Amino acid sequence: MSKPQQAIRSTTFRPDQLFRHILLTVVLYIGTGHIGLSIPYTNPNVSLIWLPTGIAIASLMRFGYVMLPVIFASAVILEIGAGFSFNIAMALAIGSTAGPFLSSWILRKQGFRTDFSRRRDVLGFSVATMLGMCISATGGLLTLSFSGMVGNVLPIWLTWWAGDTIGALLAGPLLLTFSSHSLAKLQHRSKELIGYLLIFCTTNWLIFLSPYSHLNLTFMTGGVMVLAAMRFGISAASVATLAASMVAAWATAIGKGPFADHGQASLLILWAYMATMVMITLIITALQTERMHASLQIEDAYNRINKVASRLPGLVMQYRIRPDKTACIPFASDAILQIFEVSQKEVKNDALPLLKRINSQDVEAGTASLRIAMRHQTAWQSEFRIRRLDGSIRWLYIDGLPEAEPDGAMLWHCFVTDITERKQAEQDLQIAACTFESQEGMFVTDAHWTILRLNLAFTRITGYSASELIGLRPPIHETKQQDKGFFEHIRQSLRDNKFWHGELWSRRKNGEIYPQMITLTAITDKKGDVSNYIGSFTDISRNKGYEAEIRNLAFYDSLTQLPNRRLLMDRLEHLISLSNRNHSHSAILFIDLDNFKTLNDTRGHDAGDLLLIEAASRLQTCVRESDTVARLGGDEFVVVLEELSDDRDEALGHADRIAEKIRHLLSLPYQITDFEHHGSSSIGVCLFQGSDNTVKDLFKRADTAMYEAKTSGRNTVRFFDPAMQAVLVVRMLLESNLRVALTHNQFQLYYQVQVNSDGKLIGAEALLRWIHPDRGFISPADFIPLAEETGLIIPIGNWVLDTACAQIKQWENNPLTAHLTLAVNVSAKQFQRPDFVSTLSNVVHQHQINPTRLKIELTESTILDNVDATTEKMHQLKKLGIAFSMDDFGTGYSSLAYLQRLPLNQLKIDQSFVRDLSHDENDATIVRAIISLGVNLGLNVIAEGVETKAQRAFLIEHNCLAFQGYLFSKPLPLEGFLALLEPVSDEPEYA
């Protein structure tokens, strides 16, 4: 058993276990018996220390009475081995067995614990041993006396009894407490054990074997035994006691040590010495165990008290104020962690960390009340706020009783509770009281509508004072709208929902009728029965006057006074539901004024507002009263033509005529203040029938048709065609795929060679290609404009620049491509971004390329859109070594003055001029002019779209010495381009 409180109990063992126990008992009994007989004494038949008695008692206690035959047989064998006859050996064995049996029987009766955990166990073992050894000593003496082997009986009996008793005291505790667990504990303390062994050996050498043994140093043994008992427990202490006793007995037997050469007196002292060592170790270990048990009981009691305290709705603690005015909390229940967010250990010696978090005002008030309580030795009660670790504030209440301590300190036994909810409730009550006296009229009635209380606002609004209405029912004003059924509806709502809110007409004391917005609430008790009614109301007389204005603001445009989007939506929803019943076709016209922004920007917003007002007026003249003209916002208007016809074609014709009328009317001149404005409109028309359409769908279709009118040149009317929507869907899908392509690396760069007049490869132009995993190759003409419009051209352009610079870096490491330049097209949106210069500079520095190998191609529109800003950016990049080429030169509206200012390196002749070079003299003249302009300005000139040798020859003849086109190669992926690294051809190939 592992518990220290273990006691002897009957035990059954398996056959193999029982055999091991028998074998162990026999070996130890006979072995220790031979050791005892080997220590000579005056009478050879009596041993000085007889350890088998201790082994017999321990065996009976640990393994039970089944070991009695084993002990008896071992004793017989041992006595025969000592030279006794069989009969004498049998008689001696009976005494040697009866004595341990009596001792074990006494121990079992008194509830002896084998771990010697109590002092009563030590005393009981000693008494039981001494009593039992009386039997063995008496039996042995009688046997020897009858056999004529002894003379002086009393000394021999005393010696026999003492030797058996000392042997039992030495061997019994060791065998009773020894276990694998105790051995394992000693193994963990091997270093300390070795140190103790050195002390033990040194001490016993000094006492018994050293030249100083005559000094009687036996007192040193007590300290050594105390050390063993304190540090290693009873098992190790028993071993030390046994070893020390054996040393003492051996030394005495050979005539050494303080117990030698003194006859019977020395022998008694030796026995007393052994008994003292045994009792020291046993009593100290018992005291140790009792102390541990007491500590555990105290801790258990503390934990139980703490558990009880933790179940209380608050904190139990002690608060000590020392004479030097410092404070600590020597005890606190577990609730301190929840209430103060500190552990008791943190404030056990110093409460300052906790006190710092208390509100300073509350500290002053609490300290004042604490001084009064200390002066009169009365209870201390105080409320205070504490700041929690998360920053929140909690209200606490402390109630303490004082106890003066001998050292002058004051110990307060306190109970602390969290009263935050109570404080909040008090505040809520205060707020409720203030709320009742608010600007709203309020009254409280009982379950029968008898007024119990009303506020001042009630009197101010109605004119009735509290004394006039308390005890009566509230005054009710009945009209045609507020008849008995109306008030019954209110009562029914209060019964079902315990609440009613609405508009009510009432009468003041002076007879004036006024409207009020009132809320009635039914208050129920725990049973669910109505106990009170609470009414709160406001005078809404002024509000009635504002309703028309509010409705106008909510549903009409403030500038044109036309219905706004909200009212338009409501009417369309209603119209859709009607057309589903009468099968009539209706139409929605989406109207956008052309170039309205230009008027706003040039003439100001006041002029724009006047135009919108005039346009709204003209629209209203084009429709019937049943139709709706609305303004969505800005320059967008919507006209809804209701119930045109059941026949679709007839409805289409009717809608077309009205749309054309509107278009014509809106295109007439506008007289705006001091100038005449000529405008136009783009109109999209969508015909609809039935409720399969939603308002959102109709707006989308009309907007699509209007967008088509815009793209068709403005000032026109377009009807919605499903094909338009299909185009928009395709465009939407393309935009979605374009975003995916950027994140999934579906883009590639193709390279089209640029050669000189000798046919040598001088560089390439990087062209963006999109290889869709499902749709395959998608033309740049399809996705580049969309990317420009959606803004995706920015990240795509950054990817192109990064990929191109990475490619230039690879080419620099190859002698065949180190001299090549790479031209990259940059869109206007990308180039005009404020961070374009820094972005491109970072890419160049990141890839560590030679910037002279990079050439940026810009269109005329990009360059001339903002010449000053463009020129500044080009100069900044030019300083890095980056070259610039003007792409598609001649197709825009170039200014020669600007062209001279720009830091260009190259002009690129557009392929539209090169294509018809051979048979169109105008194109030939333009090409010659561009070449001449470039040469005179010191710029390189390159022609794109060169497809025939005749075109190449014409260009060379007029000093254009760089070319790009299908004559040399179509755009190729990187692998195909690398195949052209060898010289393109000898000169005769292009002759």
Side-chain angles (χ1 to χ4, degrees), residues 287-301:
L287 287 172
Q288 282 277 86
T289 305
E290 287 179 349
R291 182 185 62 81
M292 288 186 352
H293 289 173
S295 298
L296 290 174
Q297 289 175 351
I298 292 173
E299 183 178 358
D300 182 63

Side-chain angles (χ1 to χ4, degrees), residues 592-596 599 611 615 618 662-672 675-682 714-716:
D592 184 88
L593 302 182
D594 298 330
N595 302 315
F596 177 74
L599 175 65
L611 175 64
R618 295 183 185 185
I662 292 173
R663 185 195 63 78
H664 172 72
L665 200 59
L666 293 179
S667 64
L668 296 178
Y670 296 84
Q671 186 63 42
I672 299 183
F675 69 95
E676 186 176 79
H677 173 73
H678 294 272
S680 62
S681 62
S682 298
R714 294 187 172 89
N715 196 24
T716 186

Side-chain angles (χ1 to χ4, degrees), residues 8 83 458 542 555 820 854 874 891 898:
I8 292 298
F458 185 102
R542 289 186 179 181
F555 294 103
L820 298 180
L854 177 63
M874 292 176 69
T891 60
Y898 290 148

Side-chain angles (χ1 to χ4, degrees), residues 765-767 800 823-827 830 855-858 887:
E765 179 182 3
L767 300 170
V800 170
V824 178
N825 291 283
V826 174
S827 73
Q830 185 179 10
K855 182 166 57 179
I856 302 299
E857 291 194 359
L858 301 173
D887 195 13

Side-chain angles (χ1 to χ4, degrees), residues 182-246:
S182 61
L183 186 61
K185 289 174 63 176
L186 291 175
Q187 288 177 345
H188 292 297
R189 308 175 68 178
S190 56
K191 291 183 179 180
E192 187 178 358
L193 200 59
I194 292 172
Y196 175 78
L197 186 60
L198 291 175
I199 295 173
F200 177 86
C201 294
T202 303
T203 303
N204 281 276
W205 177 79
L206 286 172
I207 296 173
F208 296 105
L209 302 176
S210 74
Y212 310 103
S213 60
H214 64 281
L215 297 178
N216 199 3
L217 303 174
T218 52
F219 66 88
M220 298 175 63
T221 307
V224 176
M225 293 302 106
V226 170
L227 178 63
M230 294 287 290
R231 299 299 301 167
F232 304 110
I234 189 169
S235 297
S238 297
V239 173
T241 304
L242 177 61
S245 299
M246 297 303 293

